[in-house]
Amino acid sequence: MTEATDLAAAASSADPRAGLRAVVALRRLLEGLERLQVANARAKGWSWQEIADALEVTRQGVHKKHAKLMPMLDPREG
């Protein structure tokens, strides 16, 4: 089993402590994956709007969440 599969199973535990710990771990995993894919999209030239559309959120929301973590892209570089 993968880490995500194990965590998903634990999240449905009858033990609230185990379930909530799994929810926290899944949230951290998901946030890391989102950062990775947003960085990947930006490196490939995607606009904030394209990323927002793919994530089904607003452009402003995705920009606020991720722009400070992304390196500045020089528009003169192609």
Side-chain angles (χ1 to χ4, degrees), residues 38 42 48 61-72:
V38 169
R42 292 295 293 162
W48 289 112
V62 77
H63 185 266
K64 181 178 180 179
K65 183 175 182 179
H66 293 286
K68 63 185 173 285
L69 303 174
M70 300 293 121
M72 295 296 294

Side-chain angles (χ1 to χ4, degrees), residues 6-15 18-20 22-23 26:
D6 292 343
L7 288 171
S12 63
S13 172
D15 176 4
L20 291 169
V23 168
L26 282 166

Side-chain angles (χ1 to χ4, degrees), residues 48-69:
W48 289 112
Q49 186 62 58
E50 289 172 305
I51 296 168
D53 291 344
L55 291 173
E56 298 181 2
V57 297
T58 66
R59 179 189 58 78
Q60 293 88 347
V62 77
H63 185 266
K64 181 178 180 179
K65 183 175 182 179
H66 293 286
K68 63 185 173 285
L69 303 174

Side-chain angles (χ1 to χ4, degrees), residues 15-33:
D15 176 4
R17 187 174 314 281
L20 291 169
R21 284 182 181 156
V23 168
V24 170
L26 282 166
R27 185 180 301 131
R28 289 178 180 151
L29 178 61
L30 180 60
E31 290 294 325
L33 290 170

